Amino acid sequence: MKMDESEVKRILLTIVEPNRGDTVSSSRIPDTIIGWRFPSTAPTKYGEHEPPVCEWTGVECDPSDGTVIGLNLENRIWIESLLGYTSPSVEDNDAKPSNPRSLREKREYLHKKRVLQRNQESPGKSSQPSPFSPFLPSSLGKLLSLRMIKLSSNQIQGPIPKSITKLPNLEIFDVSSNDMTGTFPYFYSANLRVFDISKNRFHGTLPSYIFAHPSVGPETAPFLPSLVKFDISHNGLNGTIPLNGRSGMYDSELKKDLSLQNLKYFDIGYNLFSGTICNNFGNLANLNALFLEHNRLIGTIPKALYRGSGPGANPLPLVQLYLQQNDLSGTLPSGLATLPKLKELYVDGNKLTGTIPEVLCTKELNKVFLNDDEAAQGCDGVSCPANTISTEGVAPCLPCPDDGGFNRYLGRHETECKSPLDEVEILDLFFSLTHGEDWVDYSYRWEKGSPACQRKGIECNESGNIVNITLTSLGLRGSLPTELGWLSALQVFNVSNNEMTGFLPSDFRFSPITHFDIKGNRISGEVPILLCIKEGINNNGIGLPGVDFELLYSCDNIVCPRGSYSKLGRASVDHNVTCLPCFDDSSRYYIGRDECTDIIIWGKQFRVSDVKNEMKTVAPVLALFCALLLFIARRITRKTAFQRIDSDHVSSKVSSTRNIALHQFSSSSFEDDEAVENHSDDDWTAAASEGEMSRFTRKKSEMVTYSSGKEVHNCLQKISGLLKSSVPVKPPNHPKSNLGTAGSTFSPPLPPTIPLSKKLPTAQPTPKAMPAAALAPRPDRKARKPRGAPRAIPMADLTRRDSMWFSIPGGSCHVGSKGGCGGCCGGVGGAEGVTEDSSAVVIVVGVCCRM
């Protein structure tokens, strides 16, 4: 649906928002600029009404429907013509290119100019937005029909709005030569062909989806098949180039990767990238220009650059190959001469050794940059040989005196020849670069110029050459100097558990090192490939017969790579130690880690920071879940306890016809307990079968203690009211019984009333009573010998109890410490009564449910 033109104008005018109400800025807009004026400003040649938006300067529309498809305000049109701002540019006449035809010289001049400009900025100024610099408005993301955005060289600041990255039809995005900041942006358009954010201040790493990472697919990086130009040079981006592995766009039938097949221009120069040059560059069948210069790349120049990759691959159509000013090692491969279209090849400023292949010397490479036909026809046009100097690393080259192989690298950038350093000078340089004055142990602080063999942590052989450098846990900071590789007798190098940074130099391959330990530092990057194939270092390449060759010669034997760890900080075939994966921040960025803070849950490994973040979200849910479990557990426990009590009463009820316990409190009832024991079971059973006696409880322990005088009073009053009527009782036929004769009627007196004003003694727990003789034994207990009727409980003790269960004709009543009568339930049957003696109460407790 086409957007209303007034709405389109409103969106576009956000670009010149600083001009609103500023007649001075608006008056600076040249008459040649059509549109871009607010209605409140002076009328133009069109009158008071602005021309159609498709006629505005820098605006392109689709001729078929008139929708806005392009915005081209590059080369300072926005900042100068539309906003009327001018700012002095930083010029360096000494750095101006003498040969403007050379692309390399232009790039180096631009780099020097940007460095000079940033050095002239006051501290903190670069992070503050300039009042004369515009920001990219997010409202442009509403113009969904946009296909082109070209805003280079306009001093734009700030990040790229997400609304712009989500434009579905974007084909060209160029914001180069500005001051934009932020991390690498993610674009959603499947039609993106030109992506240029060079010469800005972007930082961070490249995301894994950007190139041929295994997780790449059309849904994560839709622009890969259409991309033609990719330029992120002259920024502060770091990390590795994510070009390893097979992408999600690999066609198994064609045996070809469909991503980046249209890419012709790839430029990541003048950044902070580390790692190696990926073999997958050989898959880019249409690549013409590859710029990787001025980074921290290590390793060798891969054969894939000139052979291609995959079955039936052909040499790449490279015209420009910029590899200078890295840390590449090895030799310069002669196979580069097979590149049919190669015109420019720069490899100076690396750590390449050997000589320049003759087949490369005759290709007249770098002719435009050298501006010298004779030099272009020689090997010096590719790179200066070893032990020579040059300001650019290529012709003209000046030879230096023979130094015994000290200056062995090709294309050195020097202005004067340097003599080789002796061992004392190398140690002094090492002490300076690692901030030796701040080492934690003062005894290790070397004196400059002192004999090498007399310094603590240094061991020498009989010839006085250094064979051992061991400086562990001393707080060393800084980077490892490459000159350490020139110690011709060094066998042991151990600087573990310090704070070393930087990268691992490949120069150690020149020393006869057998033990190398840098674990526990903060060294970044990758292990140089020439160290990985060095035999003898940490037993690399040495092992028992039958051991896998990849384990014998492995970079892991030198130091564990990023994203892994081991207790040694490296792998060891002899000790059966391997580098295990680790995802914590230290292992993610540094090599040689000897510990990992990851958390393993159910066999899966998680980063501590991720677990902490998840716990902040999950903790309230877990707390609620635990509380619910505790509540359920308590309910189940209480229910089980009540079921056990009910089970005891049921057992008592079943056996009540032959087991009756009589509690009496009058000394006139029986003379002693033996009189009760003399009764036979038949006498008691007969009395119970005739209904003369009610059923009684059998456990003295179930008569729990009293508390609280008011509750005792209330319950006794309730018992008293229910026992007013006479209860016919046929007492047992016992010669000593004074309860009356058979068939007589017994009227129990009321129990004594306890005044509420009387303060009762403090409640004390009742000792656990032994079960009655007639009680049926529990399954988990052995049967006990009957002991007869329980002893009488005096009234004085009755009032000191915590709580008690009483059974009355209407049911049972519970007196508790926190309430009155807990409730009564009826239907017990039998008879209850009290003795005539007012000082004692007889309560016959029947089987009853409990509340």
Side-chain angles (χ1 to χ4, degrees), residues 127-153:
S127 61
Q128 300 295 329
S130 171
F132 304 106
S133 298
F135 290 83
L136 197 58
S138 60
S139 58
L140 290 179
K142 297 180 181 180
L143 300 177
L144 302 180
S145 58
L146 273 178
R147 303 177 193 172
M148 177 188 68
I149 297 179
K150 300 177 72 175
L151 301 172
S152 62
S153 302

Side-chain angles (χ1 to χ4, degrees), residues 337-631:
T338 62
L339 294 172
K341 299 182 179 181
L342 188 63
K343 298 297 181 183
E344 294 182 72
L345 172 64
Y346 300 105
V347 294
D348 49 274
N350 285 284
K351 295 182 178 180
L352 299 175
T353 57
T355 59
I356 307 297
E358 189 65 29
V359 290
L360 286 174
C361 301
T362 59
K363 289 183 67 70
E364 298 187 0
L365 299 174
N366 309 329
K367 186 175 181 179
V368 176
F369 175 68
L370 297 173
N371 198 24
D372 187 343
D373 294 342
E374 183 178 355
Q377 295 175 1
C379 295
D380 291 357
V382 178
S383 178
C384 288
N387 201 28
T388 61
I389 60 173
S390 171
T391 56
E392 298 291 348
V394 294
C397 308
L398 301 177
C400 293
D402 186 15
D403 57 4
F406 182 78
N407 296 312
R408 64 184 69 183
Y409 294 138
L410 302 177
R412 291 174 56 235
H413 287 236
E414 301 288 350
T415 57
E416 60 182 12
C417 296
K418 292 184 177 180
S419 59
L421 302 178
D422 57 26
E423 292 187 341
V424 172
E425 292 173 328
I426 292 176
L427 290 182
D428 288 341
L429 177 63
F430 176 77
F431 184 81
S432 175
L433 293 178
T434 57
H435 299 82
E437 64 279 1
D438 296 329
W439 291 359
V440 294
D441 192 338
Y442 184 81
S443 62
Y444 279 86
R445 298 178 183 178
W446 304 332
E447 183 179 351
K448 185 176 181 180
S450 61
C453 300
Q454 296 181 7
R455 306 188 186 195
K456 192 172 183 180
I458 305 298
E459 295 182 9
C460 299
N461 57 15
E462 296 178 353
S463 302
N465 295 323
I466 298 175
V467 295
N468 187 333
I469 298 178
T470 300
L471 302 168
T472 62
S473 305
L474 290 175
L476 276 66
R477 296 182 291 116
S479 58
L480 294 172
T482 60
E483 287 77 7
L484 289 172
W486 305 112
L487 298 175
S488 58
L490 185 63
Q491 298 178 6
V492 177
F493 184 76
N494 186 354
V495 293
S496 59
N497 300 317
N498 283 290
E499 300 177 10
M500 302 293 294
T501 55
F503 298 88
L504 181 60
S506 64
D507 305 77
F508 282 105
R509 72 185 189 272
F510 299 121
S511 296
I513 295 180
T514 58
H515 180 77
F516 186 78
D517 192 352
I518 59 169
K519 69 174 181 290
N521 284 279
R522 293 183 293 171
I523 298 177
S524 308
E526 308 287 340
V527 182
I529 189 64
L530 293 182
L531 273 181
C532 302
I533 62 176
K534 178 179 174 60
E535 187 172 306
I537 180 171
N538 294 339
N539 288 333
N540 191 44
I542 302 175
L544 299 175
V547 179
D548 189 357
F549 181 81
E550 293 184 356
L551 296 178
L552 287 179
Y553 286 94
S554 173
C555 293
D556 292 1
N557 294 334
I558 313 303
V559 63
C560 284
R562 291 183 299 179
S564 65
Y565 81 105
S566 78
K567 62 181 181 180
L568 300 177
R570 59 180 175 85
S572 175
V573 177
D574 298 338
H575 297 87
N576 196 25
V577 175
T578 59
C579 295
L580 303 175
C582 183
F583 307 112
D584 66 12
D585 292 337
S586 296
S587 295
R588 182 181 179 186
Y589 297 109
Y590 308 126
I591 61 177
R593 302 305 300 172
D594 59 346
E595 60 181 1
C596 182
T597 60
D598 287 349
I599 297 176
I600 299 178
I601 303 176
W602 293 325
K604 294 185 178 181
Q605 204 165 347
F606 300 92
R607 192 180 305 168
V608 174
S609 58
D610 295 341
V611 174
K612 289 181 178 180
N613 293 333
E614 291 295 331
M615 286 300 296
K616 292 180 181 179
T617 306
V618 177
V621 180
L622 289 178
L624 182 61
F625 180 72
C626 292
L628 180 61
L629 288 180
L630 180 62
F631 174 75

Side-chain angles (χ1 to χ4, degrees), residues 678-721:
N678 289 334
H679 284 279
S680 64
D681 290 342
D682 295 337
D683 295 335
W684 290 106
T685 305
S689 63
E690 294 175 2
E692 297 172 346
M693 298 291 294
S694 63
R695 292 168 294 179
F696 299 92
T697 56
R698 53 183 172 72
K699 293 200 310 180
K700 185 178 180 180
S701 60
E702 291 179 1
M703 302 182 66
V704 203
T705 57
Y706 275 110
S707 113
S708 186
K710 182 177 181 179
E711 287 79 12
V712 174
H713 170 75
N714 292 339
C715 197
L716 290 178
Q717 291 292 342
K718 191 167 186 178
I719 295 173
S720 173

Side-chain angles (χ1 to χ4, degrees), residues 210-247:
I210 186 62
F211 296 131
H213 191 273
S215 63
V216 168
E219 67 281 359
T220 57
F223 53 84
L224 292 182
S226 62
L227 196 62
V228 175
K229 179 181 179 180
F230 182 82
D231 191 352
I232 59 173
S233 62
H234 297 89
N235 279 286
L237 298 166
N238 55 34
T240 59
I241 308 171
L243 257 173
N244 295 316
R246 181 178 296 175
S247 79

